[in-house]
Amino acid sequence: MLRKIRSILAAVVFILITLLFLDFTGTLHTWLGWLAKIQFLPAVMALNLVVVVSLIVLTLVFGRIYCSVICPLGIFQDLLARFRRKKNKYSYSGEVKWLRYPVFVVFIIAGVAGIGSLFQLLAPYSAYGRIATMIFQPVWKMANNLLALVAERMDSYAFYSVDTWMRSLPVFVIAAVTLVALFVLAWRGGRTYCNTICPVGTVLSFFARFSWLKIRFDVDKCKNCSLCSKNCKAACIDFKTHSVDYSRCVVCGNCIDSCKFGALRYTGHSISSVKKSASGSVDTSKRSFLLATALASTAVMAQKKEKLMDGGMAEIEDKIAPARQTPLTPPGSLSASNLSKRCTGCQLCVSECPNQVLRPSTDLMHLMQPTMSYEKGYCRPECTRCSDVCPAGAIKPLDEIEKSSIQIGHAVWIKKNCIPLTDGVSCGNCARHCPTGAIEMVPSDLEDEESLMIPVVNENVCIGCGACEYVCPSRPFSAIYVEGHEVHKMI
């Protein structure tokens, strides 16, 4: 019963949270956004004490069921481990303290010191977010585009084609290496990553030692057949000494399910003190009901992109990103410093951005954190998707009025690239598409009102949305681009 309940809830949570990352329409966040907010590390970064305390209490009562039911990376490891078809494939091994605790210390130091790339590399939820966004979502989009092609041939618009492109090669490589490493570790040792590298697993292990409900041995019934140890993916059951390392047990239920003699039970009392029914068997109905209720309650706790056209006729082609002296950070992040301190690099905002503005940073100190660039779109003033989905508080929630009033940067005009001066033709794209009216066209020759018009930027009104940079027809570099601000301000 324990294994079945855990497997069903884990499957539901994993499918839903994966769909949250795969969704490029933004429609699922309204229903599934809570799944990201009940992840342990994002809740800590967002100072969401309700979730953090709830997860700790849950662990003190039931053990590390967070790792088996809520954490997507933990569930993903179970799926990868299934590729190894061999039965009774595991064995007991002692806790690898020399690796587990130094990794945890490094994780804490990286977080305090602001070394975001190392901090995010070790975070389990963020690791799965990178895999889902960088590897799974492009495949999902390509499948969607194939369906759109078929639907188009049938005169149906049930699907529409979306762009599929490489947001960041370094982050893609990191996601791919992480996937391969997880596969090898899970294939060979089940939950090796959870119990030797994962910092969240290490934190919860401190509380799991004192959990009320635990896997316990009935020594009188045990025949030392070793099936419990051979089916324990956490390698925490020593059948020879009839002991369980509760700091590593993820309460998967495999051991109970595999035991042929009923020598293992999930109980809050020592076996000798458990009351037996008249038939002599343990009455586990109340305990099963309690566990099912707890896991179920945990699970509960737990635009279409429009392409901009020049004059409605020709699609604007991609261009090369400018070298910004100060990177652009999303509206709601308050400042580059705040984003660096709170962001876990989970890529949820990147995967949800409908305008293809957000992408992972390639800067070593801020690797995998979101940055903005306007080669494929611009940050629409009415769009608040990234602030809506961020579970860690790195991007604060905004409404449309606040969003359109936050200055994340300002436009800079590059005279040598401007088409009226280089090609002798009129343009004005930047001024026509500026949503705040921060760009005005003036004569290039102040003494000749008939001369070609060039843009002038009012930095006090510009919000840095990038509409001007995106629609600028100059190639390969725009004649106008947005320079970021270290600290955002309201205008």
XYZ file of all heavy atoms in Angstrom, residues 147-212:
526
model
N 2.800 18.824 -35.353
C 1.337 18.780 -35.314
C 0.739 20.004 -36.017
O -0.303 19.903 -36.686
C 0.852 18.716 -33.863
C 1.129 17.415 -33.109
C 0.721 17.550 -31.652
C 0.396 16.255 -33.758
N 1.398 21.161 -35.857
C 0.911 22.371 -36.517
C 0.986 22.234 -38.034
O 0.091 22.689 -38.764
C 1.728 23.577 -36.052
N 2.071 21.584 -38.511
C 2.219 21.374 -39.948
C 1.123 20.451 -40.476
O 0.523 20.700 -41.529
C 3.598 20.782 -40.238
C 3.924 20.500 -41.715
C 3.901 21.791 -42.518
C 5.285 19.822 -41.830
N 0.855 19.389 -39.731
C -0.197 18.456 -40.141
C -1.558 19.136 -40.099
O -2.384 18.973 -41.016
C -0.188 17.206 -39.224
C -1.372 16.311 -39.532
C 1.116 16.444 -39.369
N -1.800 19.915 -39.040
C -3.081 20.604 -38.910
C -3.286 21.613 -40.041
O -4.398 21.779 -40.558
C -3.159 21.307 -37.556
N -2.189 22.287 -40.420
C -2.283 23.269 -41.506
C -2.697 22.594 -42.810
O -3.484 23.153 -43.587
C -0.940 23.975 -41.665
C -0.953 25.066 -42.722
C 0.400 25.738 -42.860
O 1.306 25.404 -42.067
O 0.547 26.584 -43.759
N -2.157 21.409 -43.055
C -2.531 20.680 -44.272
C -4.011 20.286 -44.258
O -4.608 20.065 -45.312
C -1.662 19.431 -44.399
C -0.163 19.715 -44.535
C 0.154 20.428 -45.842
N 1.554 20.755 -45.953
C 2.492 19.931 -46.412
N 2.149 18.713 -46.815
N 3.747 20.320 -46.476
N -4.577 20.210 -43.068
C -5.987 19.827 -42.931
C -6.881 21.045 -42.723
O -8.026 20.931 -42.300
C -6.141 18.856 -41.756
C -5.309 17.592 -41.884
S -5.364 16.549 -40.403
C -7.108 16.133 -40.344
N -6.313 22.245 -43.006
C -7.046 23.506 -42.830
C -7.557 23.683 -41.403
O -8.662 24.184 -41.165
C -8.225 23.583 -43.815
C -7.770 23.666 -45.256
O -6.703 24.262 -45.496
O -8.466 23.141 -46.142
N -6.716 23.278 -40.445
C -7.056 23.427 -39.038
C -6.014 24.308 -38.355
O -4.842 24.300 -38.724
C -7.100 22.055 -38.356
O -7.238 22.198 -36.956
N -6.480 25.085 -37.376
C -5.555 25.949 -36.628
C -5.576 25.571 -35.144
O -5.435 26.422 -34.267
C -5.955 27.409 -36.813
C -5.808 27.863 -38.246
C -6.896 27.811 -39.126
C -4.588 28.293 -38.731
C -6.759 28.207 -40.452
C -4.442 28.685 -40.051
C -5.526 28.636 -40.909
O -5.379 29.016 -42.207
N -5.739 24.286 -34.890
C -5.726 23.799 -33.513
C -4.340 23.947 -32.891
O -4.209 24.077 -31.677
C -6.170 22.339 -33.471
N -3.296 23.924 -33.723
C -1.923 24.110 -33.260
C -1.285 25.237 -34.065
O -1.699 25.520 -35.192
C -1.097 22.828 -33.435
C -1.613 21.658 -32.662
C -2.537 20.783 -33.233
C -1.195 21.422 -31.375
C -3.026 19.700 -32.527
C -1.668 20.334 -30.658
C -2.593 19.483 -31.231
N -0.296 25.881 -33.481
C 0.437 26.920 -34.186
C 1.932 26.715 -33.973
O 2.367 26.211 -32.937
C 0.013 28.317 -33.729
C 0.247 28.599 -32.263
C 1.456 29.121 -31.804
C -0.750 28.329 -31.326
C 1.664 29.364 -30.460
C -0.548 28.582 -29.978
C 0.657 29.100 -29.558
O 0.870 29.340 -28.222
N 2.692 27.063 -34.971
C 4.134 26.852 -34.925
C 4.814 27.865 -34.006
O 4.413 29.033 -33.938
C 4.716 26.970 -36.338
O 6.111 26.751 -36.325
N 5.840 27.416 -33.282
C 6.607 28.286 -32.388
C 8.095 28.128 -32.700
O 8.530 27.088 -33.196
C 6.345 27.952 -30.901
C 4.927 28.278 -30.516
C 6.650 26.489 -30.610
N 8.856 29.156 -32.392
C 10.297 29.120 -32.646
C 10.995 28.175 -31.662
O 10.678 28.148 -30.470
C 10.912 30.521 -32.495
C 10.503 31.436 -33.635
O 10.083 30.914 -34.679
O 10.594 32.667 -33.471
N 11.934 27.414 -32.176
C 12.770 26.546 -31.347
C 14.214 26.923 -31.599
O 14.699 26.814 -32.718
C 12.548 25.067 -31.699
O 11.156 24.752 -31.553
C 13.352 24.166 -30.772
N 14.900 27.378 -30.554
C 16.261 27.863 -30.745
C 17.076 27.640 -29.474
O 16.536 27.382 -28.415
C 16.261 29.352 -31.112
C 15.513 30.226 -30.153
C 14.157 30.313 -29.986
C 16.069 31.134 -29.193
N 13.840 31.216 -29.006
C 14.991 31.741 -28.501
C 17.381 31.504 -28.866
C 15.185 32.685 -27.496
C 17.573 32.452 -27.861
C 16.476 33.031 -27.208
N 18.384 27.712 -29.626
C 19.309 27.475 -28.524
C 19.449 28.758 -27.711
O 20.055 29.726 -28.154
C 20.674 27.053 -29.063
C 21.720 26.812 -27.978
S 21.383 25.349 -27.003
C 21.665 24.082 -28.242
N 18.889 28.757 -26.501
C 18.943 29.959 -25.665
C 20.345 30.208 -25.112
O 20.759 31.344 -24.967
C 17.954 29.831 -24.510
C 16.487 29.907 -24.932
C 15.600 29.926 -23.696
N 14.207 30.130 -24.043
C 13.339 29.149 -24.245
N 13.756 27.898 -24.172
N 12.080 29.409 -24.530
N 21.032 29.144 -24.760
C 22.382 29.288 -24.198
C 23.114 27.965 -24.347
O 22.730 26.965 -23.720
C 22.314 29.701 -22.727
O 23.593 29.662 -22.138
N 24.160 27.943 -25.146
C 24.922 26.713 -25.351
C 25.589 26.234 -24.068
O 25.534 25.035 -23.753
C 25.962 26.921 -26.462
C 26.833 25.702 -26.794
C 25.965 24.522 -27.218
C 27.851 26.051 -27.868
N 26.234 27.117 -23.268
C 26.861 26.630 -22.023
C 25.860 25.979 -21.073
O 26.158 24.940 -20.474
C 27.469 27.900 -21.412
C 27.689 28.816 -22.569
C 26.558 28.551 -23.501
N 24.677 26.583 -20.942
C 23.674 26.025 -20.024
C 23.101 24.728 -20.586
O 22.799 23.795 -19.839
C 22.559 27.052 -19.752
C 21.498 26.468 -18.823
C 23.141 28.314 -19.129
N 22.983 24.644 -21.905
C 22.539 23.397 -22.524
C 23.546 22.278 -22.239
O 23.156 21.148 -21.922
C 22.384 23.575 -24.034
C 22.105 22.285 -24.775
C 20.828 21.752 -24.805
C 23.142 21.604 -25.412
C 20.579 20.550 -25.467
C 22.897 20.409 -26.075
C 21.614 19.887 -26.102
N 24.827 22.595 -22.338
C 25.873 21.600 -22.053
C 25.801 21.167 -20.595
O 25.902 19.967 -20.280
C 27.267 22.172 -22.382
C 28.364 21.227 -21.903
C 27.400 22.421 -23.878
N 25.604 22.125 -19.688
C 25.483 21.791 -18.264
C 24.285 20.874 -18.030
O 24.370 19.891 -17.294
C 25.345 23.082 -17.422
C 26.659 23.862 -17.434
C 24.935 22.756 -15.985
C 26.575 25.208 -16.764
N 23.145 21.189 -18.668
C 21.944 20.363 -18.518
C 22.185 18.956 -19.060
O 21.769 17.960 -18.446
C 20.768 21.024 -19.229
N 22.858 18.860 -20.204
C 23.128 17.554 -20.810
C 24.073 16.726 -19.941
O 23.852 15.519 -19.734
C 23.715 17.742 -22.212
N 25.121 17.367 -19.422
C 26.075 16.656 -18.553
C 25.369 16.202 -17.273
O 25.596 15.076 -16.785
C 27.277 17.565 -18.224
C 28.150 16.927 -17.137
C 28.104 17.826 -19.473
N 24.511 17.063 -16.721
C 23.752 16.698 -15.521
C 22.861 15.496 -15.786
O 22.769 14.577 -14.964
C 22.893 17.884 -15.049
O 23.726 19.020 -14.796
C 22.136 17.532 -13.773
N 22.208 15.490 -16.937
C 21.326 14.372 -17.299
C 22.113 13.066 -17.408
O 21.688 12.028 -16.885
C 20.623 14.673 -18.618
C 19.693 13.572 -19.165
C 18.596 13.253 -18.163
C 19.097 13.999 -20.505
N 23.255 13.130 -18.059
C 24.086 11.927 -18.202
C 24.572 11.449 -16.834
O 24.539 10.245 -16.529
C 25.275 12.197 -19.143
C 26.238 11.013 -19.141
C 24.788 12.485 -20.555
N 25.034 12.384 -15.998
C 25.531 12.016 -14.667
C 24.418 11.393 -13.826
O 24.640 10.385 -13.128
C 26.096 13.246 -13.963
N 23.224 11.968 -13.890
C 22.095 11.421 -13.144
C 21.752 10.017 -13.624
O 21.455 9.127 -12.823
C 20.871 12.325 -13.293
C 20.854 13.620 -12.474
C 19.654 14.467 -12.852
C 20.829 13.310 -10.988
N 21.786 9.835 -14.937
C 21.461 8.518 -15.490
C 22.457 7.466 -15.001
O 22.056 6.378 -14.586
C 21.459 8.571 -17.011
C 21.155 7.250 -17.659
C 19.853 6.796 -17.758
C 22.184 6.447 -18.146
C 19.573 5.562 -18.331
C 21.921 5.215 -18.716
C 20.600 4.772 -18.813
N 23.741 7.797 -15.039
C 24.770 6.840 -14.602
C 24.615 6.520 -13.118
O 24.643 5.347 -12.705
C 26.181 7.388 -14.896
C 27.243 6.487 -14.282
C 26.399 7.533 -16.395
N 24.436 7.571 -12.311
C 24.310 7.359 -10.869
C 23.050 6.574 -10.526
O 23.072 5.676 -9.689
C 24.303 8.708 -10.142
C 25.619 9.491 -10.139
C 25.425 10.864 -9.504
C 26.709 8.722 -9.400
N 21.928 6.926 -11.166
C 20.670 6.239 -10.884
C 20.699 4.802 -11.386
O 20.175 3.894 -10.736
C 19.501 6.993 -11.515
N 21.313 4.581 -12.532
C 21.391 3.243 -13.111
C 22.239 2.312 -12.247
O 21.916 1.146 -12.067
C 21.976 3.332 -14.517
C 21.929 2.044 -15.276
C 20.869 1.535 -15.982
C 22.998 1.093 -15.413
N 21.217 0.323 -16.551
C 22.511 0.024 -16.222
C 24.307 1.037 -14.954
C 23.291 -1.067 -16.556
C 25.083 -0.061 -15.277
C 24.577 -1.104 -16.074
N 23.302 2.881 -11.678
C 24.219 2.072 -10.875
C 23.780 1.962 -9.419
O 23.889 0.898 -8.812
C 25.630 2.662 -10.921
C 26.316 2.508 -12.267
C 27.662 3.224 -12.247
N 28.528 2.702 -11.203
C 29.345 1.670 -11.342
N 29.388 1.023 -12.494
N 30.108 1.267 -10.353
N 23.301 3.091 -8.844
C 23.067 3.082 -7.398
C 21.778 3.692 -6.923
O 21.648 3.998 -5.733
N 20.802 3.916 -7.808
C 19.511 4.445 -7.375
C 19.594 5.885 -6.916
O 19.796 6.800 -7.715
N 19.478 6.098 -5.615
C 19.424 7.458 -5.066
C 20.802 7.961 -4.607
O 20.911 8.679 -3.612
C 18.457 7.498 -3.891
C 16.973 7.404 -4.268
C 16.542 8.596 -5.112
N 15.098 8.612 -5.313
C 14.280 9.493 -4.766
N 14.751 10.438 -3.970
N 12.992 9.452 -5.027
N 21.841 7.644 -5.347
C 23.187 8.085 -4.976
C 23.280 9.603 -4.936
O 23.869 10.183 -4.015
C 24.233 7.542 -5.974
O 24.150 6.117 -6.003
C 25.633 7.961 -5.571
N 22.710 10.266 -5.941
C 22.773 11.730 -5.980
C 22.077 12.329 -4.760
O 22.596 13.255 -4.132
C 22.126 12.244 -7.266
C 22.123 13.754 -7.381
C 23.185 14.423 -7.978
C 21.066 14.509 -6.880
C 23.188 15.810 -8.073
C 21.066 15.893 -6.974
C 22.124 16.541 -7.570
O 22.133 17.904 -7.649
N 20.901 11.801 -4.423
C 20.127 12.346 -3.306
C 20.893 12.271 -1.992
O 20.784 13.163 -1.147
C 18.813 11.577 -3.158
S 17.573 11.970 -4.393
N 21.629 11.200 -1.806
C 22.244 10.939 -0.505
C 23.731 11.254 -0.420
O 24.354 10.999 0.610
C 22.013 9.475 -0.120
C 20.554 9.207 0.208
O 19.874 10.065 0.749
N 20.075 8.023 -0.125
N 24.294 11.795 -1.479
C 25.711 12.162 -1.417
C 25.977 13.592 -1.898
O 26.955 14.207 -1.490
C 26.578 11.213 -2.264
O 26.085 11.197 -3.606
C 26.548 9.807 -1.703
N 25.112 14.112 -2.771
C 25.372 15.418 -3.376
C 24.287 16.439 -3.049
O 24.589 17.590 -2.754
C 25.506 15.280 -4.913
C 26.667 14.357 -5.254
C 25.700 16.654 -5.568
C 26.807 14.048 -6.731
N 23.041 16.025 -3.091
C 21.918 16.961 -2.963
C 21.921 17.677 -1.612
O 21.819 17.037 -0.562
C 20.595 16.221 -3.146
S 19.157 17.282 -2.942
N 22.019 19.008 -1.585
C 22.030 19.736 -0.307
C 20.675 19.712 0.393
O 20.616 19.719 1.625
C 22.416 21.163 -0.723
C 22.025 21.268 -2.161
C 22.224 19.906 -2.735
N 19.586 19.678 -0.370
C 18.255 19.608 0.242
C 18.083 18.264 0.945
O 17.545 18.187 2.054
C 17.154 19.812 -0.819
C 15.781 19.596 -0.201
C 17.244 21.211 -1.414
N 18.549 17.196 0.308
C 18.505 15.881 0.944
C 19.291 15.853 2.236
O 18.874 15.240 3.223
N 20.425 16.542 2.243
C 21.250 16.588 3.461
C 20.537 17.342 4.576
O 20.555 16.920 5.737
C 22.607 17.252 3.161
O 23.274 16.528 2.127
C 23.483 17.284 4.401
N 19.885 18.459 4.235
C 19.145 19.232 5.242
C 18.013 18.389 5.825
O 17.856 18.290 7.050
C 18.582 20.526 4.614
C 17.619 21.208 5.592
C 19.702 21.481 4.267
N 17.229 17.767 4.958
C 16.098 16.978 5.434
C 16.544 15.734 6.184
O 15.802 15.218 7.026
C 15.216 16.591 4.244
C 14.506 17.747 3.537
C 13.654 17.237 2.387
C 13.647 18.549 4.516
N 17.758 15.258 5.898
C 18.245 14.060 6.602
C 18.427 14.324 8.091
O 18.277 13.411 8.908
C 19.568 13.597 5.992
O 20.635 14.490 6.306
N 18.740 15.569 8.461
C 18.890 15.901 9.877
C 17.575 15.697 10.621
O 17.559 15.262 11.779
C 19.357 17.351 10.035
C 20.724 17.608 9.477
C 20.975 18.713 8.678
C 21.776 16.750 9.745
C 22.231 18.957 8.160
C 23.044 16.987 9.242
C 23.272 18.088 8.443
N 16.466 16.028 9.969
C 15.146 15.904 10.593
C 14.592 14.481 10.463
O 13.860 14.016 11.331
C 14.172 16.904 9.963
C 14.605 18.333 10.097
C 15.244 18.985 9.044
C 14.389 19.029 11.276
C 15.643 20.305 9.170
C 14.790 20.349 11.413
C 15.428 20.987 10.352
N 14.928 13.807 9.356
C 14.399 12.462 9.119
C 14.862 11.472 10.176
O 14.185 10.475 10.442
C 14.820 11.983 7.725
N 16.008 11.735 10.785
C 16.504 10.841 11.836
C 15.513 10.740 13.002
O 15.482 9.749 13.731
C 17.848 11.333 12.365
C 19.017 11.163 11.408
C 20.298 11.669 12.050
N 21.474 11.353 11.268
C 21.997 12.130 10.326
N 21.406 13.296 10.057
N 23.069 11.783 9.653
N 14.731 11.824 13.175
C 13.826 11.889 14.326
C 12.362 11.758 13.914
O 11.464 12.115 14.674
C 14.033 13.214 15.066
C 15.470 13.501 15.412
C 16.211 14.409 14.666
C 16.088 12.844 16.463
C 17.540 14.680 14.976
C 17.413 13.096 16.781
C 18.147 14.013 16.032
N 12.121 11.273 12.717
C 10.740 11.157 12.247
C 9.962 10.159 13.097
O 10.531 9.197 13.637
C 10.714 10.737 10.782
O 11.254 9.445 10.609
N 8.671 10.380 13.178
C 7.818 9.488 13.966
C 7.599 8.164 13.240
O 7.852 7.098 13.790
C 6.482 10.190 14.242
C 5.482 9.302 14.919
C 5.683 8.526 16.016
C 4.129 9.086 14.515
N 4.534 7.831 16.347
C 3.558 8.173 15.438
C 3.338 9.588 13.489
C 2.236 7.748 15.339
C 2.012 9.171 13.406
C 1.485 8.257 14.312
